[in-house]
Amino acid sequence: MDETINGETKPSRLLCSITPSTLFGQQLGVYEYAVYTLLYRFSYGYSRCTCAFSYGQVGRELRMSAKKAEQVLAQLEARKPY
């Protein structure tokens, strides 16, 4: 199933694979911290190493647009391991 964001069709679910050790010791922006904390809570908080969310779901949980959620996730994934 796909979702359309600003006229662009993307997969409706994303799989979080950002581990705590990846970002340990790095400065995160406000949006990055919020998204990371949400995904961490729904993955490791339930004793799992992944969680499935759509950009729309992340946006609704954090009161931001789906496009902003997509941009922030791209920023987090682009970070180099510490």
Coordinates of all heavy atoms in Angstrom, one line a residue:
M1 N 0.8 -1.2 0.0 CA 0.0 0.0 0.0 C 0.9 1.2 0.0 O 1.9 1.3 0.7 CB -0.9 0.0 1.2 CG -1.8 1.1 1.3 SD -3.0 0.8 2.7 CE -4.1 2.2 2.4
D2 N 0.5 2.2 -0.8 CA 1.3 3.4 -0.9 C 0.5 4.6 -0.4 O -0.7 4.6 -0.3 CB 1.7 3.7 -2.4 CG 2.7 2.6 -2.9 OD1 3.3 2.0 -2.1 OD2 2.7 2.5 -4.1
E3 N 1.2 5.7 -0.1 CA 0.5 6.9 0.3 C 1.1 8.1 -0.6 O 2.2 8.0 -1.0 CB 0.7 7.3 1.8 CG 2.0 7.6 2.2 CD 2.1 8.0 3.7 OE1 1.1 8.3 4.3 OE2 3.2 7.9 4.2
T4 N 0.2 9.1 -0.8 CA 0.6 10.2 -1.7 C 0.9 11.4 -0.8 O 0.0 11.8 0.0 CB -0.4 10.5 -2.7 OG1 -0.6 9.3 -3.5 CG2 0.0 11.6 -3.6
I5 N 2.1 12.0 -0.9 CA 2.4 13.2 -0.1 C 2.9 14.2 -1.1 O 3.8 14.0 -1.9 CB 3.6 12.9 0.8 CG1 3.2 11.8 1.8 CG2 4.0 14.1 1.6 CD1 4.4 11.3 2.6
N6 N 2.1 15.3 -1.2 CA 2.4 16.4 -2.1 C 2.5 15.9 -3.5 O 3.4 16.3 -4.3 CB 3.7 17.1 -1.7 CG 3.6 17.8 -0.4 OD1 2.5 18.2 0.0 ND2 4.7 18.0 0.3
G7 N 1.6 15.0 -3.9 CA 1.6 14.5 -5.3 C 2.6 13.4 -5.6 O 2.7 13.0 -6.7
E8 N 3.4 13.0 -4.6 CA 4.4 12.0 -4.8 C 4.1 10.7 -4.1 O 3.8 10.8 -2.9 CB 5.8 12.6 -4.3 CG 7.0 12.0 -4.9 CD 8.2 12.7 -4.4 OE1 8.2 13.9 -4.3 OE2 9.2 12.0 -4.1
T9 N 4.0 9.6 -4.8 CA 3.6 8.4 -4.2 C 4.8 7.7 -3.6 O 5.9 7.6 -4.2 CB 3.0 7.4 -5.2 OG1 1.9 8.1 -5.8 CG2 2.5 6.1 -4.6
K10 N 4.7 7.3 -2.3 CA 5.8 6.6 -1.6 C 5.2 5.4 -0.8 O 4.0 5.3 -0.6 CB 6.4 7.6 -0.6 CG 6.8 8.9 -1.3 CD 7.7 9.7 -0.4 CE 8.1 10.9 -1.3 NZ 9.3 11.4 -1.0
P11 N 6.1 4.5 -0.4 CA 5.6 3.4 0.4 C 4.9 3.9 1.7 O 5.3 4.9 2.3 CB 6.9 2.7 0.8 CG 7.9 3.1 -0.1 CD 7.5 4.5 -0.6
S12 N 3.8 3.3 2.1 CA 3.0 3.8 3.2 C 3.6 3.4 4.5 O 3.3 4.0 5.5 CB 1.6 3.2 3.1 OG 1.7 1.8 3.3
R13 N 4.5 2.5 4.6 CA 5.2 2.2 5.8 C 6.7 2.3 5.7 O 7.3 2.0 4.7 CB 4.9 0.7 6.2 CG 3.4 0.5 6.4 CD 3.1 0.5 7.8 NE 1.6 0.3 8.0 CZ 1.0 0.8 9.0 NH1 1.6 1.4 10.0 NH2 -0.3 0.6 9.1
L14 N 7.3 2.7 6.7 CA 8.8 2.7 6.7 C 9.2 1.9 7.9 O 8.5 1.8 8.9 CB 9.3 4.2 6.8 CG 8.9 5.0 8.0 CD1 9.9 5.0 9.1 CD2 8.7 6.4 7.5
L15 N 10.4 1.4 7.8 CA 10.9 0.5 8.9 C 12.1 1.2 9.5 O 13.0 1.6 8.8 CB 11.4 -0.8 8.2 CG 11.5 -2.0 9.1 CD1 10.1 -2.3 9.8 CD2 11.9 -3.2 8.3
C16 N 12.0 1.5 10.8 CA 13.0 2.2 11.5 C 14.2 1.3 11.8 O 14.0 0.3 12.4 CB 12.5 2.8 12.8 SG 13.7 3.6 13.8
S17 N 15.4 1.7 11.4 CA 16.6 0.9 11.7 C 17.6 1.8 12.3 O 18.8 1.5 12.2 CB 17.1 0.2 10.5 OG 17.4 1.1 9.5
I18 N 17.3 2.9 12.9 CA 18.2 3.8 13.5 C 18.5 3.3 14.9 O 17.6 3.3 15.8 CB 17.7 5.2 13.5 CG1 17.4 5.7 12.1 CG2 18.7 6.2 14.2 CD1 16.6 7.0 12.1
T19 N 19.7 2.9 15.2 CA 20.0 2.3 16.5 C 20.5 3.4 17.4 O 21.0 4.4 17.0 CB 21.0 1.2 16.4 OG1 22.2 1.8 15.9 CG2 20.5 0.1 15.6
P20 N 20.3 3.2 18.7 CA 20.8 4.2 19.7 C 22.3 4.5 19.5 O 22.8 5.6 19.6 CB 20.5 3.6 21.1 CG 19.5 2.6 20.8 CD 19.7 2.1 19.4
S21 N 23.1 3.4 19.2 CA 24.6 3.6 19.1 C 24.9 4.4 17.8 O 26.0 5.1 17.8 CB 25.3 2.3 19.0 OG 24.8 1.5 17.9
T22 N 24.0 4.5 16.9 CA 24.3 5.3 15.7 C 24.3 6.8 16.0 O 25.2 7.5 15.4 CB 23.1 5.1 14.6 OG1 23.0 3.7 14.3 CG2 23.4 5.9 13.4
L23 N 23.5 7.2 16.9 CA 23.4 8.7 17.2 C 24.1 9.1 18.5 O 24.0 10.2 18.9 CB 22.0 9.1 17.2 CG 21.2 8.9 15.9 CD1 19.8 9.2 16.0 CD2 21.8 9.7 14.8
F24 N 24.6 8.1 19.3 CA 25.2 8.4 20.6 C 26.2 9.5 20.5 O 27.2 9.4 19.7 CB 25.8 7.1 21.2 CG 26.3 7.3 22.6 CD1 25.5 7.5 23.6 CD2 27.7 7.4 22.8 CE1 26.0 7.7 24.9 CE2 28.2 7.6 24.0 CZ 27.4 7.8 25.1
G25 N 26.1 10.5 21.3 CA 27.1 11.5 21.4 C 27.0 12.6 20.3 O 27.8 13.5 20.2
Q26 N 25.9 12.6 19.5 CA 25.8 13.6 18.4 C 24.7 14.6 18.8 O 23.7 14.2 19.5 CB 25.4 12.9 17.1 CG 26.5 12.1 16.5 CD 26.1 11.6 15.1 OE1 25.3 12.1 14.5 NE2 26.7 10.5 14.8
Q27 N 24.8 15.8 18.4 CA 23.8 16.8 18.7 C 22.7 16.6 17.7 O 22.9 16.5 16.5 CB 24.4 18.2 18.5 CG 25.5 18.6 19.5 CD 24.8 18.8 20.9 OE1 23.7 19.3 21.0 NE2 25.5 18.5 21.9
L28 N 21.4 16.6 18.2 CA 20.3 16.5 17.3 C 19.5 17.8 17.4 O 19.4 18.4 18.4 CB 19.4 15.3 17.8 CG 20.0 13.9 17.8 CD1 19.0 12.9 18.3 CD2 20.3 13.5 16.4
G29 N 18.8 18.1 16.3 CA 17.9 19.3 16.3 C 16.6 18.9 17.0 O 16.4 17.7 17.3
V30 N 15.8 19.9 17.1 CA 14.5 19.6 17.9 C 13.7 18.6 17.1 O 13.2 17.7 17.8 CB 13.7 21.0 18.0 CG1 12.4 20.7 18.6 CG2 14.5 22.0 18.8
Y31 N 13.5 18.7 15.8 CA 12.7 17.8 15.1 C 13.3 16.4 15.0 O 12.7 15.4 15.2 CB 12.5 18.3 13.7 CG 11.5 19.5 13.6 CD1 12.0 20.7 13.2 CD2 10.2 19.4 13.8 CE1 11.2 21.8 13.2 CE2 9.3 20.4 13.8 CZ 9.9 21.7 13.4 OH 9.0 22.7 13.4
E32 N 14.7 16.4 14.9 CA 15.3 15.1 14.8 C 15.2 14.3 16.2 O 14.9 13.1 16.2 CB 16.8 15.3 14.5 CG 17.1 15.7 13.1 CD 18.6 16.1 12.9 OE1 19.2 16.6 13.8 OE2 19.1 15.7 11.9
Y33 N 15.3 15.1 17.3 CA 15.2 14.5 18.6 C 13.8 13.9 18.8 O 13.6 12.8 19.3 CB 15.5 15.5 19.7 CG 15.5 14.9 21.1 CD1 16.5 14.1 21.5 CD2 14.4 15.1 21.9 CE1 16.4 13.5 22.8 CE2 14.3 14.6 23.1 CZ 15.3 13.8 23.6 OH 15.2 13.2 24.8
A34 N 12.8 14.7 18.4 CA 11.4 14.3 18.5 C 11.1 13.0 17.7 O 10.5 12.1 18.3 CB 10.4 15.4 18.1
V35 N 11.5 13.0 16.5 CA 11.3 11.8 15.6 C 12.0 10.6 16.2 O 11.5 9.5 16.3 CB 11.6 12.1 14.2 CG1 11.6 10.8 13.3 CG2 10.7 13.1 13.6
Y36 N 13.3 10.8 16.5 CA 14.1 9.7 17.1 C 13.5 9.1 18.3 O 13.3 7.9 18.5 CB 15.5 10.2 17.3 CG 16.4 9.1 17.9 CD1 16.8 8.0 17.1 CD2 16.6 9.0 19.3 CE1 17.6 7.0 17.7 CE2 17.4 8.0 19.8 CZ 17.9 7.0 19.0 OH 18.6 6.0 19.6
T37 N 13.0 10.0 19.2 CA 12.4 9.6 20.5 C 11.2 8.8 20.2 O 10.9 7.7 20.9 CB 12.2 10.8 21.4 OG1 13.4 11.5 21.6 CG2 11.6 10.3 22.7
L38 N 10.3 9.2 19.3 CA 9.1 8.5 19.0 C 9.4 7.1 18.4 O 8.8 6.1 18.9 CB 8.3 9.3 17.9 CG 7.1 8.6 17.4 CD1 5.9 8.7 18.3 CD2 6.7 9.2 16.0
L39 N 10.3 7.0 17.5 CA 10.6 5.7 16.9 C 11.3 4.8 17.9 O 11.1 3.6 17.9 CB 11.5 5.9 15.7 CG 10.8 6.7 14.5 CD1 11.8 6.8 13.4 CD2 9.6 6.0 14.1
Y40 N 12.2 5.4 18.8 CA 12.8 4.6 19.8 C 11.8 4.0 20.8 O 11.8 2.9 21.1 CB 13.8 5.5 20.5 CG 14.6 4.7 21.5 CD1 15.8 4.0 21.2 CD2 14.3 4.6 22.9 CE1 16.6 3.3 22.1 CE2 15.0 3.9 23.8 CZ 16.2 3.3 23.4 OH 16.9 2.5 24.3
R41 N 10.8 4.9 21.1 CA 9.8 4.4 22.1 C 9.0 3.3 21.5 O 8.7 2.3 22.2 CB 8.9 5.6 22.4 CG 7.9 5.2 23.5 CD 7.0 6.4 23.8 NE 5.8 6.3 23.0 CZ 5.1 7.3 22.6 NH1 5.4 8.6 23.0 NH2 4.0 7.2 21.9
F42 N 8.6 3.4 20.2 CA 7.8 2.3 19.7 C 8.5 1.1 19.2 O 7.9 0.1 18.7 CB 6.9 2.9 18.5 CG 5.7 3.7 19.0 CD1 5.7 5.0 19.1 CD2 4.6 3.0 19.4 CE1 4.6 5.7 19.5 CE2 3.5 3.7 19.9 CZ 3.5 5.0 20.0
S43 N 9.8 1.2 19.2 CA 10.6 0.0 18.9 C 11.2 -0.6 20.1 O 10.7 -1.6 20.7 CB 11.7 0.3 17.8 OG 12.5 1.3 18.3
Y44 N 12.3 0.0 20.6 CA 13.0 -0.6 21.8 C 12.1 -0.5 23.1 O 12.3 -1.3 24.0 CB 14.3 0.1 22.0 CG 15.3 -0.2 21.0 CD1 15.5 0.6 19.9 CD2 16.1 -1.3 21.0 CE1 16.4 0.3 18.9 CE2 17.0 -1.7 20.1 CZ 17.1 -0.8 19.0 OH 18.0 -1.2 18.0
G45 N 11.2 0.4 23.1 CA 10.2 0.5 24.3 C 9.3 -0.8 24.4 O 8.8 -1.1 25.4
Y46 N 9.2 -1.5 23.2 CA 8.4 -2.7 23.2 C 9.2 -3.9 23.0 O 8.8 -4.9 22.4 CB 7.3 -2.6 22.2 CG 6.2 -1.6 22.5 CD1 6.2 -0.3 22.0 CD2 5.2 -1.9 23.4 CE1 5.2 0.6 22.3 CE2 4.2 -1.0 23.8 CZ 4.2 0.3 23.2 OH 3.2 1.2 23.6
S47 N 10.5 -3.8 23.3 CA 11.5 -4.9 23.2 C 11.6 -5.4 21.7 O 11.7 -6.6 21.5 CB 11.1 -6.0 24.1 OG 11.1 -5.6 25.4
R48 N 11.5 -4.5 20.8 CA 11.8 -4.8 19.4 C 12.9 -3.9 18.9 O 13.2 -2.9 19.4 CB 10.5 -4.5 18.5 CG 9.3 -5.4 18.9 CD 8.2 -5.1 18.0 NE 7.2 -4.5 18.9 CZ 6.2 -3.7 18.5 NH1 6.1 -3.4 17.2 NH2 5.4 -3.2 19.3
C49 N 13.5 -4.3 17.8 CA 14.6 -3.5 17.2 C 14.1 -2.7 16.0 O 14.8 -1.9 15.4 CB 15.8 -4.3 16.8 SG 15.4 -5.6 15.7
T50 N 12.8 -2.8 15.6 CA 12.3 -2.1 14.5 C 10.8 -1.7 14.8 O 10.2 -2.2 15.7 CB 12.2 -2.9 13.2 OG1 11.4 -4.0 13.4 CG2 13.6 -3.3 12.7
C51 N 10.3 -0.7 14.1 CA 8.9 -0.3 14.2 C 8.5 0.1 12.8 O 9.3 0.6 12.0 CB 8.7 0.7 15.2 SG 9.5 2.3 14.9
A52 N 7.2 -0.1 12.5 CA 6.7 0.3 11.2 C 5.7 1.5 11.3 O 4.7 1.4 12.0 CB 6.0 -0.9 10.6
F53 N 6.1 2.6 10.7 CA 5.3 3.8 10.7 C 5.2 4.4 9.3 O 6.2 4.2 8.6 CB 5.9 4.9 11.6 CG 5.4 4.8 13.0 CD1 6.2 4.2 14.0 CD2 4.3 5.5 13.4 CE1 5.8 4.2 15.3 CE2 3.9 5.5 14.7 CZ 4.6 4.8 15.7
S54 N 4.2 5.0 9.0 CA 4.2 5.8 7.7 C 4.6 7.2 8.1 O 4.6 7.6 9.2 CB 2.8 5.8 7.1 OG 1.9 6.6 7.9
Y55 N 5.0 8.0 7.0 CA 5.4 9.4 7.3 C 4.2 10.1 7.9 O 4.3 11.0 8.7 CB 5.8 10.0 6.0 CG 7.1 9.4 5.4 CD1 7.0 8.8 4.2 CD2 8.3 9.5 6.1 CE1 8.2 8.2 3.6 CE2 9.4 8.9 5.6 CZ 9.4 8.3 4.3 OH 10.5 7.7 3.8
G56 N 3.0 9.8 7.4 CA 1.8 10.4 7.9 C 1.6 10.1 9.4 O 1.2 11.0 10.1
Q57 N 1.8 8.9 9.8 CA 1.7 8.5 11.2 C 2.7 9.3 12.1 O 2.3 9.8 13.2 CB 1.8 7.0 11.4 CG 0.7 6.2 10.9 CD 0.9 4.7 11.0 OE1 2.0 4.3 10.6 NE2 0.0 4.0 11.7
V58 N 3.9 9.4 11.6 CA 4.9 10.1 12.4 C 4.5 11.6 12.5 O 4.6 12.1 13.6 CB 6.3 10.0 11.7 CG1 7.3 10.9 12.4 CG2 6.8 8.6 11.8
G59 N 4.0 12.1 11.4 CA 3.6 13.5 11.4 C 2.4 13.7 12.4 O 2.4 14.7 13.1
R60 N 1.4 12.8 12.4 CA 0.3 13.0 13.3 C 0.7 12.9 14.7 O 0.2 13.6 15.6 CB -0.8 12.0 12.9 CG -1.7 12.3 11.8 CD -2.8 11.4 11.6 NE -2.4 10.0 11.3 CZ -2.1 9.6 10.1 NH1 -2.1 10.4 9.0 NH2 -1.8 8.3 9.9
E61 N 1.6 11.9 15.0 CA 2.0 11.7 16.4 C 2.7 13.0 16.9 O 2.6 13.3 18.1 CB 2.9 10.5 16.5 CG 2.3 9.2 16.4 CD 1.5 8.8 17.6 OE1 1.9 9.2 18.7 OE2 0.6 8.0 17.5
L62 N 3.5 13.6 16.1 CA 4.4 14.7 16.5 C 3.8 16.1 16.0 O 4.5 17.1 16.2 CB 5.8 14.5 16.0 CG 6.5 13.3 16.5 CD1 7.8 13.1 15.8 CD2 6.6 13.4 18.0
R63 N 2.6 16.1 15.5 CA 2.0 17.4 15.0 C 2.9 18.1 14.0 O 3.2 19.3 14.2 CB 1.7 18.3 16.2 CG 1.0 17.7 17.4 CD -0.5 17.7 17.1 NE -1.3 17.4 18.3 CZ -1.7 16.2 18.7 NH1 -1.3 15.1 18.0 NH2 -2.4 16.0 19.7
M64 N 3.3 17.4 13.0 CA 4.1 18.0 11.9 C 3.6 17.4 10.6 O 2.8 16.4 10.6 CB 5.6 17.8 12.1 CG 6.0 16.3 12.0 SD 7.8 16.0 12.0 CE 8.3 16.5 13.6
S65 N 3.9 18.0 9.5 CA 3.5 17.5 8.2 C 4.2 16.2 7.9 O 5.3 15.9 8.4 CB 3.7 18.5 7.1 OG 5.1 18.7 6.9
A66 N 3.6 15.4 7.0 CA 4.2 14.2 6.6 C 5.5 14.5 5.8 O 6.5 13.7 5.9 CB 3.3 13.4 5.7
K67 N 5.5 15.6 5.1 CA 6.7 16.0 4.3 C 7.9 16.3 5.3 O 9.0 15.9 5.0 CB 6.4 17.2 3.4 CG 7.5 17.6 2.5 CD 7.8 16.5 1.5 CE 8.9 16.9 0.5 NZ 9.3 15.8 -0.3
K68 N 7.6 17.0 6.4 CA 8.6 17.4 7.3 C 9.1 16.1 8.0 O 10.3 16.0 8.2 CB 8.0 18.3 8.4 CG 9.0 18.7 9.4 CD 10.1 19.6 8.9 CE 11.1 20.1 9.9 NZ 12.2 20.8 9.4
A69 N 8.2 15.2 8.3 CA 8.6 13.9 8.9 C 9.6 13.1 8.0 O 10.6 12.6 8.4 CB 7.4 13.0 9.2
E70 N 9.3 13.2 6.7 CA 10.1 12.5 5.7 C 11.5 13.1 5.6 O 12.5 12.5 5.6 CB 9.4 12.6 4.3 CG 10.2 11.9 3.2 CD 9.6 12.1 1.9 OE1 8.5 12.7 1.8 OE2 10.1 11.6 0.9
Q71 N 11.5 14.5 5.7 CA 12.8 15.2 5.6 C 13.7 14.9 6.9 O 14.9 14.7 6.8 CB 12.6 16.7 5.5 CG 12.0 17.1 4.2 CD 11.5 18.6 4.2 OE1 11.4 19.2 5.3 NE2 11.3 19.1 3.0
V72 N 13.0 14.9 8.0 CA 13.7 14.6 9.3 C 14.3 13.2 9.3 O 15.4 13.0 9.7 CB 12.8 14.9 10.5 CG1 13.5 14.5 11.8 CG2 12.5 16.4 10.5
L73 N 13.5 12.3 8.8 CA 14.0 10.9 8.8 C 15.1 10.7 7.9 O 16.1 10.0 8.1 CB 12.8 9.9 8.4 CG 11.9 9.6 9.6 CD1 10.6 9.1 9.0 CD2 12.5 8.6 10.5
A74 N 15.1 11.4 6.8 CA 16.3 11.4 5.8 C 17.5 12.0 6.5 O 18.6 11.4 6.3 CB 15.9 12.2 4.6
Q75 N 17.3 13.0 7.3 CA 18.5 13.6 8.0 C 19.0 12.7 9.0 O 20.3 12.5 9.1 CB 18.0 14.9 8.7 CG 17.7 16.1 7.8 CD 17.1 17.2 8.5 OE1 16.8 17.2 9.7 NE2 16.8 18.3 7.8
L76 N 18.2 12.0 9.7 CA 18.6 11.0 10.7 C 19.4 9.8 10.1 O 20.4 9.4 10.5 CB 17.4 10.5 11.5 CG 16.9 11.4 12.6 CD1 15.6 10.8 13.1 CD2 17.9 11.6 13.7
E77 N 18.8 9.4 9.0 CA 19.4 8.2 8.3 C 20.8 8.6 7.6 O 21.6 7.8 7.5 CB 18.5 7.7 7.2 CG 17.3 6.9 7.8 CD 16.3 6.5 6.8 OE1 16.3 7.0 5.7 OE2 15.4 5.7 7.2
A78 N 21.0 9.9 7.3 CA 22.2 10.3 6.6 C 23.3 10.5 7.7 O 24.5 10.6 7.2 CB 21.9 11.6 5.9
R79 N 23.0 10.5 8.9 CA 24.1 10.7 9.9 C 25.0 9.6 10.0 O 24.6 8.4 9.8 CB 23.4 10.9 11.3 CG 22.8 12.2 11.5 CD 22.3 12.4 12.9 NE 21.8 13.7 13.1 CZ 22.5 14.7 13.6 NH1 23.8 14.5 13.9 NH2 22.0 15.9 13.8
K80 N 26.3 9.9 10.2 CA 27.3 8.8 10.3 C 27.3 8.3 11.7 O 27.1 9.0 12.6 CB 28.7 9.4 9.9 CG 28.7 10.1 8.5 CD 28.7 9.0 7.5 CE 28.9 9.6 6.1 NZ 28.4 8.9 5.1
P81 N 27.7 7.0 11.8 CA 27.8 6.4 13.2 C 28.9 7.2 14.0 O 29.8 7.6 13.4 CB 28.2 5.0 12.9 CG 27.8 4.7 11.5 CD 27.9 6.0 10.8
Y82 N 28.7 7.3 15.2 CA 29.6 8.0 16.1 C 30.9 7.3 16.2 O 31.0 6.1 16.3 CB 28.9 8.2 17.5 CG 29.8 8.9 18.5 CD1 30.1 10.3 18.3 CD2 30.4 8.3 19.5 CE1 30.9 10.9 19.2 CE2 31.2 9.0 20.4 CZ 31.4 10.3 20.2 OH 32.2 11.0 21.1

